[in-house]
Amino acid sequence: MIGKLTGRIDSQGEDYALIDVGGVGYVAFCSARTLAGLPRAGEAAVLLIETHVREDHIHLYGFGEEAERAWFRLLTTVQGVGARMALAILGVLGPADLAQAIAAQDKAALTRASGVGPKLAQRIVTELKDKAAGIALGPAAGFADANAALAASPGGADEAVVEDAISALVNLGYRRMEAFAAISRAQRDASGEPSLDTLIRGGLKELAS
């Protein structure tokens, strides 16, 4: 199995990069985000690789960071999400944004990716909500922690109250991911079991800061 390629960029296509490693060219399919971050042709590059072996082909999928590869692996565990669709999702949502979208159950963010409709977006956020914390790396880890903080506990707000507070901010025109992050921080900073009003006011304060 190939886990990493270190070589020079030979060329790029719409969804792949050709990496020259010691005179051998490897085609690595990549997200639009990863392709945009690669150097120009002839320059040195490193790609983390996920190798998929099938009866009729061997495909290499390339990633610029470990967090993106980890999310790719997790996304492809969802029924209906193949490798190409996972790359499409990662092309519009980086690891941190994807972690936040799943934690916030933000289906609209996922439907920005080509081929992802409302039903599939719902399946993704539902199936991955409890799994995401295990792979959140770097900036994404903060959103996994925020997701855990929203669970009902003796020292926190009731889950229904949290959801109502998020909905209130969404109704005021904020994106769900923004509202989720703000309410999460407001709950963390509040003492005892904060009321709906306390969470809304705290969330608005966070958004204004």
Side-chain angles (χ1 to χ4, degrees):
M1 292 292 184
I2 297 174
K4 183 173 75 170
L5 291 175
T6 301
R8 295 187 178 278
I9 300 293
D10 182 277
S11 60
Q12 288 189 32
E14 182 179 349
D15 61 351
Y16 70 89
L18 179 61
I19 312 296
D20 185 326
V21 182
V24 178
Y26 293 87
V27 174
F29 296 101
C30 305
S31 71
R33 184 181 299 270
T34 293
L35 288 174
L38 291 177
R40 294 175 296 180
E43 295 184 353
V46 176
L47 279 178
L48 298 174
I49 297 296
E50 182 76 3
T51 305
H52 281 197
V53 179
R54 301 289 185 267
E55 291 183 0
D56 57 343
H57 69 255
I58 298 176
H59 280 174
L60 305 181
Y61 298 94
F63 309 93
E65 56 181 318
E66 180 57 42
E68 187 183 33
R69 181 167 64 176
W71 275 108
F72 173 84
R73 290 170 175 168
L74 190 59
L75 283 167
T76 53
T77 66
V78 178
Q79 182 181 0
V81 180
R84 296 300 182 90
M85 186 169 291
L87 290 180
I89 294 170
L90 290 165
V92 298
L93 291 170
D97 290 334
L98 181 54
Q100 188 176 10
I102 290 175
Q105 298 288 281
D106 189 349
K107 301 183 293 294
L110 290 166
T111 58
R112 289 165 48 198
S114 176
V116 180
K119 289 185 179 180
L120 182 56
Q122 179 65 63
R123 187 184 307 146
I124 292 170
V125 298
T126 299
E127 292 189 15
L128 299 189
K129 184 175 182 181
D130 294 332
K131 300 178 182 179
I135 67 154
L137 305 172
F143 300 121
D145 293 341
N147 181 41
L150 288 181
S153 64
D158 180 83
E159 189 172 0
V161 174
V162 170
E163 181 57 37
D164 286 346
I166 293 172
S167 296
L169 295 189
V170 170
N171 290 336
L172 289 174
Y174 294 101
R175 292 184 302 139
R176 183 173 176 85
M177 283 197 295
E178 293 176 323
F180 173 85
I183 294 300
S184 176
R185 292 193 296 268
Q187 181 186 3
R188 181 193 61 204
D189 296 338
S191 58
E193 186 173 340
S195 65
L196 175 60
D197 183 60
T198 297
L199 286 180
I200 293 173
R201 285 189 282 106
L204 288 171
K205 183 178 179 180
E206 291 288 343
L207 288 166
S209 62

